[in-house]
């Protein structure tokens, strides 16, 4: 039989009557990720997703790499299916895992017998296969406590499977089971990490980016699109809504007290993002805000900027240390792009002494000279929608 993949589910197994919805979404996400690498049969049984190639031309290496970042999978194993027979278990383990066994000094066999009709218990099966493998590989000793390598034998309802240790999966919940949300995506470190973290909780992510040409360059815009592309390795395809923000920022500069520039700018961003989000079926906003990190991220400032929206605002980074955020950015591959020196619109017209403990009344009074509705309407007239997938050509 051909090599196949066994994908162990994570949190999905804790779900109740709606578990089937989570499993269906997970199998659909996996199918979408690997369809270009050949024809596969993908199905869920007994807390495991089975991925079986249906033709010899399937590209297993690339399919394996594509599945690893899929949310909802706790562990992944490349396995070989065989008949439910102890001789078949031994022959399959001896040939399929030969190189790994020969590279180890010690090993053990762990068995799982889901099919209770099989005559041997799990312990008996492990002893049987372990003893025969030890005889066939005299240079490798059995060590049931601290082995260099573990052979796994699973006797399930449809077939039996032999494999080595599982690799960790991406965890989380399948993308899409948690609804849709709009992330305010800048060129910094935080917002791509926030998008990743909400996608890991099953949220389908769309993005909005505010572009202030000529104060910010085309390279700054390309940087954000590239960050979105990197996030889609985990979240799946994404649409980035690029909003021209220059007129609004110039109006703020010309008509508002300097200490409120950033707060008023953020209020416009939140309101515009909400309008695009509602139009695109998103039920929440996502920001990379981190309490106390900058002047606009005090409790008072976040209260003022959030006051213009009436949908939830998810802030997955709000209580994290910066070093932990950077660690995640490095792990998911966005850090090197985030630190490129192409600044976004948040650095334009930055006040020398920003207000850190504003009240809503103060900010509303500070922006009273602005025609908010007209400025927002013009910004929404020419939103550029850019569809992004991980397989797009990198921009930087």
């Amino acid at each position: 039989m051909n090599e196949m993949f066994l994908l162990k589910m994570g949190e999905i197994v804790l779900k109740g009557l709606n578990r089937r919805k989570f499993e269906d979404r997970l199998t659909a996400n996996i199918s979408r990720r690997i369809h270009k690498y050949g024809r596969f049969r993908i199905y869920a049984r007994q807390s495991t997703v089975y991925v079986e190639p249906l033709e010899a031309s399937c590209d297993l290496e690339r399919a394996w790499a594509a599945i690893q970042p899929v949310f909802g999978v706790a562990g992944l194993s490349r396995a070989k299916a065989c008949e439910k027979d102890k001789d078949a278990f031994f022959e399959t383990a001896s040939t399929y895992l030969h190189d790994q066994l020969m590279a180890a000094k010690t090993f053990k066999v762990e068995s799982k017998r889901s099919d209770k009709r099989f005559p041997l218990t799990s312990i008996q099966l492990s002893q049987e296969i372990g003893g025969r493998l030890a005889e066939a590989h005299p240079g490798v000793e059995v060590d049931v406590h601290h082995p260099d390598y573990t052979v796994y034998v699973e006797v399930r309802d449809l077939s039996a499977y032999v494999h080595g240790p599982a690799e960790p999966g991406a965890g989380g919940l399948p993308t899409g089971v948690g609804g849709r949300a709009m992330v305010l995506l800048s060129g910094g470190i935080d917002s791509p990490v926030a998008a990743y973290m909400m996608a890991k909780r099953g949220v389908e992510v769309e993005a909005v980016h505010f572009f202030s040409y000529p104060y910010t360059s085309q390279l700054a815009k390309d940087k954000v699109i590239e960050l979105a592309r990197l996030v889609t390795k985990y979240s799946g395809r994404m649409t980035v809504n690029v909003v021209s923000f220059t007129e609004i920022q110039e109006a703020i500069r010309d008509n508002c007290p300097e200490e409120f520039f950033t707060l008023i700018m953020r209020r416009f961003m939140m309101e515009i993002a909400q309008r695009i989000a509602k139009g695109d079926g998103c039920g929440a906003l996502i920001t990379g805000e981190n309490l106390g990190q900058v002047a606009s991220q005090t409790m008072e400032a976040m209260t003022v900027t959030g006051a213009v929206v009436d949908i939830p605002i998810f802030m997955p980074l709000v209580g994290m240390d910066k070093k932990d955020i950077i660690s995640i950015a490095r792990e998911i591959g966005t850090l090197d792009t985030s630190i490129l020196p192409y600044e976004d619109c948040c650095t334009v017209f930055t006040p020398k002494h920003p207000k850190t403990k504003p009240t809503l009344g103060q900010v509303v009074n500070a922006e009273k000279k602005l025609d908010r509705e007209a400025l927002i309407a013009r910004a929404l007239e020419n939103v550029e929608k850019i569809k992004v997938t991980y397989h797009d050509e990198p921009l930087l």
Side-chain angles (χ1 to χ4, degrees), residues 21-23 25-26 29 173-179 201-204:
K21 180 185 75 171
F22 287 78
E23 293 179 349
R25 174 66 72 161
L26 177 58
N29 290 348
L173 296 172
T175 301
V177 298
R201 299 313 305 158
V203 175
E204 186 177 348

Side-chain angles (χ1 to χ4, degrees), residues 85-97 129 132-133:
D85 174 83
K86 61 184 181 181
D87 290 334
F89 302 155
F90 165 69
E91 292 295 337
T92 302
S94 189
T95 55
Y96 180 56
L97 303 177
I129 303 304
R132 294 179 66 175
L133 286 173

Side-chain angles (χ1 to χ4, degrees), residues 201-216:
R201 299 313 305 158
V203 175
E204 186 177 348
V205 178
E206 190 168 333
V208 59
H209 174 63
F210 296 91
F211 183 52
S212 293
Y213 184 82
Y215 300 105
T216 55

Side-chain angles (χ1 to χ4, degrees), residues 312-328:
I313 303 171
F314 296 148
M315 304 177 187
L317 315 185
V318 70
M320 294 179 64
D321 289 342
K322 188 68 175 185
K323 64 180 180 60
D324 296 327
I325 300 171
I326 291 172
S327 178
I328 297 173

Side-chain angles (χ1 to χ4, degrees), residues 256-286:
C256 303
E258 182 182 349
E259 62 182 335
F260 293 104
F261 280 1
T262 302
L263 292 167
I264 296 171
M265 177 189 73
R266 291 284 299 170
R267 282 164 59 83
F268 272 98
M269 287 181 172
M270 297 294 278
E271 188 164 354
I272 291 169
Q274 175 178 254
R275 296 198 191 187
I276 298 173
K278 288 183 175 180
D280 289 356
C282 296
L285 301 180
I286 303 168

Side-chain angles (χ1 to χ4, degrees), residues 44-94:
R45 294 178 72 96
Q46 296 178 307
S47 303
T48 300
V49 176
Y50 298 78
V51 180
E52 299 178 359
L54 296 178
E55 52 195 12
S57 59
C58 289
D59 189 338
L60 292 185
E61 298 303 324
R62 296 180 72 181
W64 176 254
I67 290 173
Q68 287 176 317
V70 173
F71 291 129
V73 177
L76 311 86
S77 301
R78 297 178 73 139
K80 201 72 173 286
C82 64
E83 298 296 327
K84 288 188 276 188
D85 174 83
K86 61 184 181 181
D87 290 334
F89 302 155
F90 165 69
E91 292 295 337
T92 302
S94 189

Side-chain angles (χ1 to χ4, degrees), residues 8 44 168 338:
K8 302 300 175 68
S338 290

Side-chain angles (χ1 to χ4, degrees), residues 148-366:
D148 294 334
Y149 189 74
T150 301
V151 174
Y152 293 87
V153 177
E154 300 190 38
V155 184
R156 292 177 170 263
D157 52 355
L158 298 180
S159 187
Y161 307 90
V162 175
H163 59 86
E167 295 186 13
L173 296 172
T175 301
V177 298
R180 288 168 55 83
M182 179 77 68
V183 61
L184 281 73
L185 190 63
S186 72
I189 295 172
D190 299 339
S191 56
V193 174
Y196 162 83
M197 292 181 68
M198 293 311 304
K200 190 171 184 177
R201 299 313 305 158
V203 175
E204 186 177 348
V205 178
E206 190 168 333
V208 59
H209 174 63
F210 296 91
F211 183 52
S212 293
Y213 184 82
Y215 300 105
T216 55
S217 67
Q218 179 64 40
L219 284 172
K221 176 181 172 182
D222 291 346
K223 174 183 174 181
V224 171
I225 302 304
E226 176 63 8
L227 286 170
R229 187 189 73 83
L230 293 170
V231 171
T232 61
K233 178 180 180 180
Y234 306 92
S235 67
R237 56 197 172 188
M238 183 189 303
T239 298
V240 180
N241 299 270
V242 181
V243 177
S244 178
F245 205 54
T246 307
E247 181 186 5
I248 290 174
Q249 286 194 288
E250 290 179 336
I252 294 170
R253 176 199 61 190
D254 295 340
N255 294 281
C256 303
E258 182 182 349
E259 62 182 335
F260 293 104
F261 280 1
T262 302
L263 292 167
I264 296 171
M265 177 189 73
R266 291 284 299 170
R267 282 164 59 83
F268 272 98
M269 287 181 172
M270 297 294 278
E271 188 164 354
I272 291 169
Q274 175 178 254
R275 296 198 191 187
I276 298 173
K278 288 183 175 180
D280 289 356
C282 296
L285 301 180
I286 303 168
T287 73
E289 289 169 295
N290 180 258
L291 187 63
Q293 182 171 238
V294 294
S296 62
Q297 293 178 11
T298 63
M299 194 175 297
E300 295 84 354
M302 288 191 286
T303 298
V304 167
T305 56
V308 295
V309 304
D310 56 21
I311 59 176
I313 303 171
F314 296 148
M315 304 177 187
L317 315 185
V318 70
M320 294 179 64
D321 289 342
K322 188 68 175 185
K323 64 180 180 60
D324 296 327
I325 300 171
I326 291 172
S327 178
I328 297 173
R330 183 178 289 110
E331 178 184 339
I332 66 176
T334 58
L335 180 62
D336 289 345
T337 300
S338 290
I339 62 177
L340 291 174
Y342 311 133
E343 296 180 328
D344 59 35
C345 69
C346 293
T347 63
V348 177
F349 310 136
T350 303
K352 293 180 180 179
H353 303 288
K355 191 78 170 177
T356 58
K357 295 183 180 296
T359 65
L360 182 58
Q362 289 173 334
V363 178
V364 170
N365 184 63

